Amino acid sequence: MPIARSRLFAAAGLMVGACGVAQAQGFDAVRLQGEPGSEGEGRAGLALIAGAKYLGSDERRYLLLPTIDYRWKSGWFAGMGNGIGYRFASSPQFQYGLRLAADFGRKEHRSEVLRGLGDISARPEAGAFFNLLVSRELSFSSSLRYGAGNDRKGMLLDLGAHYGVQLAPQWRLGGSLSTTYVNRHYMQDYFGITPEQSARSGYAVSQVDGGVRDVKLGASLTHFINRDWALTGAVSAASLQGDAKRSVIVRERHPVTAVLALGFRF
């Protein structure tokens, strides 16, 4: 029996959201199931993540995280993958709205490479999103967020293309290509070195500019156990760009993240 369209993306949404949390760069896109005005629905699960200790690190970090997201009929949504926001009523192929997400910051003690640079505090991010659902297989996403970094002036623009194909009634293969543009404030906090940080860490002072932070290529394979349960395995490979790639704290320019997620739709 074919699986309903809204169920096809449940586990994949869990996987991508958990992957972003693992690298402290989550909320790159909003992923909503169901058409505007349809009954509310949610997804919950557990994700095992193998990622980097920070973006640009060559040290591994392993996490086991619960994940949950819910969408209400009214247009409101909340959860670990999408943040808190509102989707405006529109035709089924468009999704757009406003949301509040978060930048998870970075802890100095996470790696010896960061010694002397201090912590980057977690901050709320205000933003907007726009998704275009071209077909059952192809979609495009965009997300703008502002408020990251210690001075709360960091901005990120995420753009992505996503494609999925049903291999069999119980199997779906997905792929994605995405990029993230950041402004100078974000790049300086995460990849630059101030005079104060230089005095504490020994790194040379580095003033950086905004631009493309990275380009990411992802692949996922989902097995639908039944109408509500699904298991997803995924790999995401990033390539740092511009001043991010040239930063003195970057030890791995092509970080890879792997995720295994069990999801339940309710």
Side-chain angles (χ1 to χ4, degrees):
M1 178 179 179
I3 298 174
R5 176 181 177 180
S6 62
R7 291 175 170 83
L8 292 175
F9 303 99
L14 280 167
M15 174 276 300
V16 178
C19 183
V21 170
Q23 293 190 345
Q25 51 177 326
F27 308 111
D28 60 328
V30 173
R31 299 163 182 87
L32 298 172
Q33 288 77 50
E35 297 181 1
S38 61
E39 292 301 319
E41 63 180 86
R43 59 184 188 266
L46 199 62
L48 178 62
I49 305 155
K53 287 194 172 182
Y54 64 90
L55 186 58
S57 174
D58 60 356
E59 302 172 273
R60 304 302 290 174
R61 186 184 186 200
Y62 301 92
L63 296 172
L64 183 64
L65 297 175
T67 59
I68 186 167
D69 280 275
Y70 195 82
R71 176 191 59 80
W72 284 269
K73 180 179 180 180
S74 62
W76 288 96
F77 59 85
M80 296 178 64
N82 292 325
I84 301 172
Y86 182 79
R87 172 188 175 184
F88 294 103
S90 65
S91 56
Q93 67 267 35
F94 298 114
Q95 297 179 347
Y96 57 88
L98 303 174
R99 66 166 173 164
L100 184 66
D103 177 81
F104 297 107
R106 188 182 68 196
K107 296 297 183 182
E108 179 182 4
H109 65 71
R110 190 170 293 172
S111 171
E112 282 297 320
V113 178
L114 303 177
R115 187 74 64 183
L117 301 185
D119 293 343
I120 301 175
S121 300
R123 301 294 190 194
E125 296 175 315
F129 65 93
F130 177 83
N131 298 336
L132 172 62
L133 312 181
V134 178
S135 67
R136 183 169 172 267
E137 291 77 24
L138 179 64
S139 64
F140 297 93
S141 64
S142 62
S143 171
L144 181 67
R145 295 172 285 147
Y146 183 82
N150 285 329
D151 62 0
R152 298 183 174 87
K153 295 180 179 179
M155 183 189 73
L156 303 91
L157 173 63
D158 301 287
L159 303 172
H162 315 272
Y163 188 81
V165 58
Q166 202 72 21
L167 301 177
Q170 303 301 123
W171 292 92
R172 186 171 179 84
L173 179 66
S176 64
L177 178 64
S178 61
T179 186
T180 298
Y181 173 90
V182 300
N183 67 358
R184 178 178 58 83
H185 296 282
Y186 182 98
M187 195 76 85
Q188 183 65 43
D189 270 357
Y190 279 93
F191 297 100
I193 304 294
T194 65
E196 293 79 10
Q197 290 173 324
S198 176
R200 297 193 303 265
S201 67
Y203 293 127
V205 173
S206 175
Q207 299 293 325
V208 298
D209 291 323
V212 175
R213 184 191 66 183
D214 56 33
V215 176
K216 295 181 285 290
L217 184 65
S220 65
L221 181 64
T222 297
H223 173 59
F224 296 93
I225 301 169
N226 55 37
R227 289 177 61 85
D228 294 313
W229 288 90
L231 181 68
T232 294
V235 176
S236 174
S239 178
L240 296 181
Q241 305 292 311
D243 282 349
K245 176 176 66 176
R246 293 183 285 269
S247 173
V248 296
I249 67 169
V250 168
R251 299 294 186 267
E252 176 54 70
R253 294 180 175 180
H254 306 286
V256 175
T257 300
V259 178
L260 181 64
L262 179 66
F264 172 74
R265 178 184 178 275
F266 61 93

